[in-house]
Amino acid sequence: MKQDVRIGLIGTGFMGRSHAMAYHAVPFIFPAAARPVPELVADVSEEAARAAAEATGFRRATGDWRELVRDPAVDVVDITTPNSLHKEMALAAIAAGKHVYCEKPLALTATDALEMTQAAEAAGVKTLVGFNFLKNPAAGMIKRIIDDGGLGDIVHFRGAFDQDALADPSAPFSWRFERAVAGAGALGDLGAHIISLAQYLIGDIDEVSGQINTRITERPVAGGAAGYGDKAAPDAPMRAVENEDEAQFIMRFASGATGTIETSRIATGRKLWLSYEITGTAGAVFFTQERMNEIKLYRADDPAGQQGFRTILTGPAHPHYANYFPIPGMGLGYNDQKVIEAHELIEAIAGDGPLYPDFRAGWKTCRVVDAVLRSAEERRWVRVGEV
Amino acid sequence: MKQDVRIGLIGTGFMGRSHAMAYHAVPFIFPAAARPVPELVADVSEEAARAAAEATGFRRATGDWRELVRDPAVDVVDITTPNSLHKEMALAAIAAGKHVYCEKPLALTATDALEMTQAAEAAGVKTLVGFNFLKNPAAGMIKRIIDDGGLGDIVHFRGAFDQDALADPSAPFSWRFERAVAGAGALGDLGAHIISLAQYLIGDIDEVSGQINTRITERPVAGGAAGYGDKAAPDAPMRAVENEDEAQFIMRFASGATGTIETSRIATGRKLWLSYEITGTAGAVFFTQERMNEIKLYRADDPAGQQGFRTILTGPAHPHYANYFPIPGMGLGYNDQKVIEAHELIEAIAGDGPLYPDFRAGWKTCRVVDAVLRSAEERRWVRVGEV
Amino acid sequence: MKQDVRIGLIGTGFMGRSHAMAYHAVPFIFPAAARPVPELVADVSEEAARAAAEATGFRRATGDWRELVRDPAVDVVDITTPNSLHKEMALAAIAAGKHVYCEKPLALTATDALEMTQAAEAAGVKTLVGFNFLKNPAAGMIKRIIDDGGLGDIVHFRGAFDQDALADPSAPFSWRFERAVAGAGALGDLGAHIISLAQYLIGDIDEVSGQINTRITERPVAGGAAGYGDKAAPDAPMRAVENEDEAQFIMRFASGATGTIETSRIATGRKLWLSYEITGTAGAVFFTQERMNEIKLYRADDPAGQQGFRTILTGPAHPHYANYFPIPGMGLGYNDQKVIEAHELIEAIAGDGPLYPDFRAGWKTCRVVDAVLRSAEERRWVRVGEV
Amino acid sequence: MKQDVRIGLIGTGFMGRSHAMAYHAVPFIFPAAARPVPELVADVSEEAARAAAEATGFRRATGDWRELVRDPAVDVVDITTPNSLHKEMALAAIAAGKHVYCEKPLALTATDALEMTQAAEAAGVKTLVGFNFLKNPAAGMIKRIIDDGGLGDIVHFRGAFDQDALADPSAPFSWRFERAVAGAGALGDLGAHIISLAQYLIGDIDEVSGQINTRITERPVAGGAAGYGDKAAPDAPMRAVENEDEAQFIMRFASGATGTIETSRIATGRKLWLSYEITGTAGAVFFTQERMNEIKLYRADDPAGQQGFRTILTGPAHPHYANYFPIPGMGLGYNDQKVIEAHELIEAIAGDGPLYPDFRAGWKTCRVVDAVLRSAEERRWVRVGEV
């Protein structure tokens, strides 16, 4: 079943380069599996695309993403452009019969995401949304423990995704703060990750009651596209922030489990605090991405006096890890999650297998984001099915 | 100002004995301060009281708490009886002009707590509610850091009090599950502690949106008063649980800070997970009572590349600790919190100084509990001032 | 078997007060067991002794410790004086037929400790050395796990006792730095604790190769007895430090297990880093007194993919804890170790049961200290039996 | 200065593939720097080499490593073969005027390593030994803190490298247990890593006193080359283990600092416990590779009451990290260390800059290994200069 899958990559920013690097790494880590072929890359101009192709080892380049979408040598279209462009590109790729790999969040609104989902399902193409934290072997192992009943019935989910990357009020205005480009703020950018994990591990969320807050209401404008760590000039003009710095909500899952989720981009001290505690009747799990190679597992059936959260280092017994190393504790990094994600994509396309999270899953995440926003605006419980 | 303060103790269960032990320890730890005198103890019968007096070193005993309240040799009435008795006893003590030291929660409802507060303030007696976790030097230090501006403006409070003491469905029915005796469930018993900490550290809570959940809806009835760890007979009859196993709420403080609080008595794996993270514009603090001698402190003004949460072991630089040990890291225990609490009580009475948390603070905690219960029932945001 | 045991306490400094407080707490924590009676206290003068008696609740006082030793109303002599006085006092108490409770280290040299041991064994009196860290329920539980075979055969012991209490070169000269009063430096003061734990948990140590180092060779002289945290005047004269700041040794146990022990009183950052990792063929344990209520336990028989060190909070399933609290995680403190130690002392005397660590065990600790000092001086492996 | 450097890789096992993957990743992570060109790969046969070339993207293949060494299109010879082959291959490469990148340990004995070092220095070629843990940004940051005086004068180093990969007595015999192929056991395989870190961070080690121990004296023979996790047949014949399972030593650095190092390949529970604590007069650092993205830093100049070890997540302020991610906490993995190592190699060759650890540094590590072995055999302190 080993087979080549040809990639058409749109976008060559941080995330585009991360995808390209992953494609090159896949054959090293998964030598027995299908291989990605870096076929064609598109950027805003042909020059930019050609430079990117050279830098990232893609065979061909184009300044027109529509050309890429139509190219017969492209099996899967990989979209790493700003959020606001996802919909148009994905729909075009689907219309061209291509499989689609789209960065998160899938779309600016749940409505858009649903349209994309329905188009993909009607066309019968495979889709994958780039929620790479689900690809961490730790997450896969936690999923397996839950599915095997290791935690019993799930009682509660407590999740957070906190960062302080934008806690400094002098951090310049960027696309992240602009509703038309980014959509929601912390909730869409960071919260979507922890929501997607909640759905992956526990299932559908039924209703929410939330609040949002924009604490830093305006930011200085720096010339050019401002990235993390950039600085504005001291006399830079200010621009109003258009989306939330933080959000919190309580929720109920379809299963009856309760939960809370919080997210903040101004959480002083937290760097990648994508964390969750899942409480079941027979055990519990705690995880934080800041220690991405550790699972904390509590089993209620441990003998009296010997009960406690185990600190499990990921190892060969966990999904995909054995492809990396023969012993536990060696340590995967963020980029390895992308390698595993790319591998799953290629393997599913080559072998016609299932992919998760697909557009439907991505839409469900958008739907929760929108439900929380509506709940915060209308100050009431909102059923996710309403949006 | 060193002086004796005579104690009248009502109740000789676990908490009563804990108070008695604290009174005996105070002169060892605080030799230069006012001293508690274990004067009179009341229990349900004279025999029980006399046995308790002998066991705990109290001078005299009575089977009638009303006698104790009236006794001229009693300066402060210490109430450690079930929650449902707090109100009557406290009002009688106040009417007799006594200072009152009452275990938490202050009352079954905010209305009752307000009546007690107003009576005490009108009478001019001193009051203290036994939220002993506020007396941990770690909590005192965190308060000091916040008040000194060490965290900047407070942005967010994330709190929890989770235990698994009652996670086992076969744990027998007890007074804790009975509304008329205990009032609220996890929210009143455990949640009150984390709410009191939120108020102590951040200030008044303005509005809440919450949910509650009773997952184990009935429990077996064991003969006698069932304590933690007791077992019911296999064929024991079942009795319906009358209050919640878990509660979660989002909130806004009067200061504008946002927050979430969760509590559960069925949180598998957690033993004394009274924890909070406080995020400010200049720093952050994390604390859990499971590591009661540690403060995690993040300072945003640490040099680049050297920023991270510090694990600070409590030591002589923190409130009250120097009375125990001359070097950090020696470790206080739960009972030491009660010693500090008793010391503050005695010292304030002897020296006519302030006490916290007094009945007013205790009432504010009850008010938040009631607001969350109403919010959960009516499925809407509730302003704390409504209740 | 409940019975009174009358205490004669010599010394009323920090440790003497700690013992006195423990005697008062014993009946609260162990109500069903034998009770200590604070009978007689001795200090350097009658005035000092009388003040101490009043402060600590002892019935009588004396300015002459020899009187105390002879007093017929004293069952056990409790020695909390400087190390250099232990021998004379203990021998006098033994000669008077008293049981002896002596603070650690038992003596300045192994030779002295052996003389004391032989005298006590010949007289048939009970003895206890105050290595209170052995009384932590965590240590007791680790002992039980090992004895039950939970770790398999013991392969290795890695121990340390590091503090930074004296890391500051401006910390004044005190008795701790004077060989005639304190004996060894860090090795005798701190190292003795970790050696005693190694012997308690693993057994006899057979041979050692060690080094010692005095890094801060002189210290300023402050007026009076300098305690932790005291400061000398800026122009204070300097005095040469007479014993080691740090020591490290490798060793072999009689069982064949290997090990290392390190100790330092100038270990910047460490407060009470009395820590050990015990590796067996079937499991491992890690413990540090800085988190005195936690045991880290690894079991090799946990299922693949679920193996990791458990963080176990001490609880009712562990030795003595149930006398404190009905649920785990409540937290004992340093002083609680002394309460348990005092309880074991009284109970063994009342019930004629065994006591550990007795003088023989205390001598074995001294012997290892002396062997390391000789090894360091002669730069060779030394068999513990040589000294 | 951006330039191509052509690689000749010998060996295509786990480590060879890891190097190959690193070469492919370098241009993605360090786009502005010199680029490795995967030119020629050698394996035991031409078929094997050709398969490896295809799998790893090398241009050409050969079944004769001597051909590779002589190939004019090869700038640097990369040796990833078994330890016993390092010497011959490196000397041939040096003789051919090639730069050499050799996996650790550099040689089976210090004598061999010195010969290699002198040859390389005489030839003026650049050398690098693959101690990749030095390339972790955390290690680089700790080096920087020490060099900047952040810890003051270094007092003590406590290091360990413990694994339980071979703790199971049924793990089959492999090359690791054979003296002629592997040289030393745990000390050479694992201990060399922590020794190299000690030398990198603190400087030369002057003298040692150590012991070694082989606890599992024979192991079953499995067919073929046994790797981690392989199993032998139940009736497999046994073969004697030829080198040590564990080693411990105490030491003194040239600077006067003291230290201890331990290593074990049978340390139940530990997976990649490459850990060290460095104590200075002004601060301390703790690190373990099991949490490879964290530095624990204590600064004695933090304000009183706010002192504690900081948990610093590696980030853009640390060496090389900014090439990966713009915010801290994203997480590098083990393979990223190899990418950084490959980058430093290529960059130094292209730019004629310095490289560390070079053969001289690798020799110094071998010398300490040999000194510990001699110390253990002769049961005495050994000066490192003796061997």
Side-chain angles (χ1 to χ4, degrees), chain C residues 136-138 292-295 312-316 318 321 327-330:
Chain C
N136 184 337
M292 64 174 281
N293 295 294
E294 290 185 19
I295 299 164
I312 302 167
L313 298 177
T314 47
H318 304 144
Y321 184 100
I327 59 170
M330 294 287 285

Side-chain angles (χ1 to χ4, degrees), chain C residues 22 35 42 74 81 94 101 112 141 154 158 175 183 216 259 268-269 275 311 318 332 382:
Chain C
R35 278 177 183 240
V74 164
T81 53
I94 291 165
Y101 173 26
D112 286 353
M141 179 63 186
I154 301 306
R158 168 165 56 217
W175 64 270
I216 304 172
T268 307
S275 78
T311 301
H318 304 144
L332 301 195
V382 170

Side-chain angles (χ1 to χ4, degrees), chain D residues 83-137:
Chain D
N83 305 346
S84 55
L85 302 176
H86 291 181
K87 183 185 172 188
E88 184 182 12
M89 290 171 172
L91 289 177
I94 291 165
K98 308 296 190 191
H99 305 295
V100 187
Y101 172 26
C102 185
E103 263 307 316
K104 51 66 54 181
L106 182 52
L108 294 192
T109 66
T111 309
D112 286 354
L114 180 59
E115 187 181 340
M116 295 158 76
T117 301
Q118 289 170 335
E121 290 177 356
V125 299
K126 292 195 182 296
T127 56
L128 181 66
V129 186
F131 285 111
N132 54 82
F133 295 113
L134 274 63
K135 304 310 173 190
N136 185 336

Side-chain angles (χ1 to χ4, degrees), chain D residues 303-344:
Chain D
Q306 298 194 16
Q307 295 173 324
F309 279 88
R310 299 171 194 175
T311 300
I312 302 167
L313 298 177
T314 46
H318 305 145
H320 296 306
Y321 184 101
N323 280 77
Y324 276 87
F325 306 113
I327 59 170
M330 295 286 285
L332 301 196
Y334 174 90
N335 285 336
D336 294 312
Q337 298 178 161
K338 277 292 175 199
V339 175
I340 293 170
E341 185 173 89
H343 158 67
E344 289 192 354

Side-chain angles (χ1 to χ4, degrees), chain B residues 7-90:
Chain B
I7 311 292
L9 171 68
I10 313 180
T12 61
F14 172 79
M15 201 42 90
R17 282 196 305 275
S18 171
H19 285 216
M21 185 164 54
Y23 294 132
H24 279 86
V26 163
F28 286 95
I29 305 298
F30 301 96
R35 277 176 183 241
V37 177
E39 180 64 35
L40 180 55
V41 62
D43 207 335
V44 284
S45 72
E46 203 163 327
E47 291 71 31
R50 227 177 287 134
E54 204 211 359
T56 58
F58 271 74
R59 290 182 183 172
R60 293 182 291 133
T62 172
D64 178 3
W65 67 264
R66 292 180 187 279
E67 230 173 65
L68 179 149
V69 158
R70 283 188 308 260
D71 194 290
V74 164
D75 297 316
V76 53
V77 173
D78 176 357
I79 303 170
T80 69
T81 54
N83 305 346
S84 56
L85 303 176
H86 290 181
K87 182 185 172 187
E88 185 183 10
M89 290 172 173

